[in-house]
Amino acid sequence: MKNAVTFIGLMSGTSMDSIDTVAVTFSNKSLDLLGSYTHSIPAKVKADILTLCAPGLDNVQLLAETDHRLGELFAEASLALMAQLSLSSKDIVAIGSHGQTIRHQPPGHKPGFSLQIGNPNQIAALTGCSVIADFRRKDMAYGGQGAPLVPAFHREIFPHPSKTRVIVNIGGISNITILEASGGCYGFDTGPGNILLDVWCQKHTNKNYDHEGRWGATGKCSDALLSQLKTHNFFARKGPKSTGREDFNLEWLEEQTRLFEIAPADIQATLALYTAETIAQSIADLAQPTDEIFVCGGGILNLELIRNLNESLLNRMLPAIQSTGNIGLDPNWVEACAFAWLAKQRIDMQPGNLPAVTGASQQTVLGCIYLP
Ligand SMILES: Nc1ncnc2c1ncn2[C@@H]1O[C@H](COP(=O)(O)OP(=O)(O)O)[C@@H](O)[C@H]1O
Ligand SMILES: [Mg+2]
């Protein structure tokens, strides 16, 4: 392992669209993205994950079997990228695997926990590489939300010496990181990213997502429904805060829309504005000058969402968005790179969490090592 310099990052987010896989090397606060690969998640596995995500429905057998199957899929994703780049296990320092979240319960009235599956032992055995996984639970052991974890990575590679930058990651859930010119850094989940747009689109068009936001663009936004959706109690809460499918899901959305007679495409249009408005308001609430806003995550490909987001930002005197591609990292791979970096932090025995973001009582080294 002495000459190994490459880290692999594996990310399968709330959207369950695919397993994002990257190979990365790091040098002094910057990184080199050697290559990337998208591994698909079979429909049966996706359906099983969704079953496991339903609060109240607890099936230990399905949990254990899906944990095993995802371990295999994560290994396949890593091996495919290693083959693509002609890398062997000897070249890899470690694979940082986020795992698939099936339940996230931030600390509150009940004890906090966050459960990611995708057996890291399986990944280690099948790839011959060391694997770092279970990143969130240590932060939660110190009273943190366990999420979001990407802001520490954003602080490592995206800050500007004289400008305040906001990084918006629009995955299934959306989160923001504020990088002050002074070095200050904080952030939190803003609420839904693509999640509601996806579930509504799946229900009414049978497609996994609204390609480029075209379906939503045919609809007309309902102000009444928009106001109703904004009453979700997540937005009244102050950070540190985090959220997931438990708070924003199809059942909740259907409950909200039941009071209104609105065509499905108009609801999709409303969801695009809702998502944009809640992100823009989170940035505006920070009440400090924001010089630049950069977006990453699959949401950047939903043109209707981005059009709405720019309008919502303009209405709040905030700058228009740019892609993180403008500051050196393809928006599709930022989160997977973050988990490669978090693996590096674990190997170097450096902290991975930011207490100002997660609310943990202290900085701490995140993740466990699984040897091949
Ligand atoms: N071409 C596209 N047009 C519209 N939306 C897209 C497109 N490609 C990806 N997306 C959206 O991005 C989501 C995936 O984003 P991602 O950042 O991987 O989220 P997660 O981290 O939750 O997996 C998809 O579910 C979809 O909503
Ligand atoms: Mg994804």
Side-chain angles (χ1 to χ4, degrees), residues 196 199-200 203 225 228-229 231-233 246-262 267 271:
L196 298 174
V199 293
W200 194 251
K203 181 174 161 136
L225 176 58
Q228 169 64 28
L229 295 173
T231 62
H232 194 302
N233 62 16
E246 295 78 4
D247 292 325
F248 297 98
N249 53 53
L250 184 60
E251 291 67 38
W252 172 78
L253 181 58
E254 286 183 324
E255 217 168 90
Q256 302 299 304
T257 53
R258 204 167 297 142
L259 305 168
F260 303 87
E261 271 197 28
I262 306 173
I267 291 181
L271 291 174

Side-chain angles (χ1 to χ4, degrees), residues 11-18 20 169-173 194 198 208-213 297-299 301-303 335:
M11 180 67 209
S12 176
T14 317
S15 307
M16 296 176 204
D17 54 316
S18 58
D20 298 341
N169 175 26
I170 312 180
I173 296 300
N194 300 291
D198 281 359
N208 280 336
Y209 60 86
D210 184 7
H211 186 72
E212 294 179 351
L301 298 169
N302 184 320
L303 305 181
E335 216 177 357

Side-chain angles (χ1 to χ4, degrees), residues 166-170 174-176 190 192-194 197 269-284 293-297 299-323:
V166 174
I167 313 294
V168 187
N169 175 26
I170 312 180
S174 164
N175 62 268
I176 58 172
T190 65
N194 300 291
L197 292 161
T270 309
L271 291 174
L273 182 56
Y274 173 58
T275 305
E277 279 280 299
T278 51
I279 293 171
Q281 192 55 45
S282 294
I283 300 173
I293 301 175
F294 296 93
V295 172
C296 57
I300 200 169
L301 298 169
N302 184 320
L303 305 181
E304 187 59 9
L305 172 58
I306 295 301
R307 188 187 65 73
N308 277 304
L309 180 55
N310 274 329
E311 216 166 280
S312 299
L313 291 168
L314 185 66
N315 289 339
R316 292 167 175 81
M317 316 277 272
L318 287 161
I321 69 121
Q322 304 179 53
S323 161

Side-chain angles (χ1 to χ4, degrees), residues 67-335:
D67 179 48
H68 178 95
R69 182 73 187 105
L70 278 169
E72 288 176 338
L73 285 170
F74 289 141
E76 281 171 21
S78 306
L79 288 168
L81 180 60
M82 286 159 68
Q84 184 181 306
L85 297 172
S86 303
L87 293 171
S88 82
S89 58
K90 289 193 184 61
D91 301 309
I92 307 296
V93 184
I95 296 172
S97 177
H98 172 264
Q100 183 71 52
T101 300
I102 56 164
R103 214 64 67 82
H104 181 73
Q105 178 174 295
H109 321 295
K110 294 186 191 163
F113 74 90
S114 192
L115 189 52
Q116 284 74 40
I117 61 170
N119 188 354
N121 297 286
Q122 199 83 1
I123 309 174
L126 292 170
T127 61
C129 301
S130 296
V131 176
I132 318 289
D134 191 6
F135 289 98
R136 300 196 187 272
R137 295 200 300 167
K138 181 70 145 332
D139 180 80
M140 295 186 103
Y142 284 101
Q145 300 273 314
L149 293 182
V150 289
F153 171 68
H154 295 162
R155 185 183 69 166
E156 182 78 3
I157 61 158
F158 291 141
H160 189 281
S162 58
K163 289 178 181 167
T164 292
R165 288 180 163 172
V166 174
I167 313 294
V168 187
N169 175 26
I170 312 180
I173 296 300
S174 164
N175 62 268
I176 58 172
T177 305
I178 297 89
L179 299 169
E180 294 174 341
S182 60
C185 172
Y186 49 105
F188 49 86
D189 284 353
T190 65
N194 300 291
I195 193 166
L196 298 174
L197 292 161
D198 281 359
V199 293
W200 194 251
C201 182
Q202 281 154 17
K203 181 174 161 136
H204 290 278
T205 71
N206 233 345
K207 301 216 173 75
N208 280 336
Y209 60 86
D210 184 7
H211 186 72
E212 294 179 351
R214 285 185 201 172
W215 181 48
T218 65
K220 190 174 168 300
C221 177
S222 156
D223 292 338
L225 176 58
L226 180 64
S227 305
Q228 169 64 28
L229 295 173
K230 283 184 178 175
T231 62
H232 194 302
N233 62 16
F234 180 75
F235 304 109
R237 282 169 33 202
K238 285 207 154 29
K241 59 180 181 174
S242 58
T243 186
R245 276 186 190 276
E246 295 78 4
D247 292 325
F248 297 98
N249 53 53
L250 184 60
E251 291 67 38
W252 172 78
L253 181 58
E254 286 183 324
E255 217 168 90
Q256 302 299 304
T257 53
R258 204 167 297 142
L259 305 168
F260 303 87
E261 271 197 28
I262 306 173
D266 294 343
I267 291 181
Q268 186 75 0
T270 309
L271 291 174
L273 182 56
Y274 173 58
T275 305
E277 279 280 299
T278 51
I279 293 171
Q281 192 55 45
S282 294
I283 300 173
D285 284 345
L286 303 171
Q288 44 117 21
T290 296
D291 299 310
E292 295 177 323
I293 301 175
F294 296 93
V295 172
C296 57
I300 200 169
L301 298 169
N302 184 320
L303 305 181
E304 187 59 9
L305 172 58
I306 295 301
R307 188 187 65 73
N308 277 304
L309 180 55
N310 274 329
E311 216 166 280
S312 299
L313 291 168
L314 185 66
N315 289 339
R316 292 167 175 81
M317 316 277 272
L318 287 161
I321 69 121
Q322 304 179 53
S323 161
T324 56
N326 292 0
I327 43 173
L329 195 50
D330 183 326
N332 293 303
W333 304 113
V334 174
E335 216 177 357

Side-chain angles (χ1 to χ4, degrees), residues 39-56:
H39 197 61
S40 64
I41 304 175
K44 163 80 167 76
V45 178
K46 189 171 166 178
D48 287 345
I49 299 167
L50 275 171
T51 302
L52 291 166
C53 285

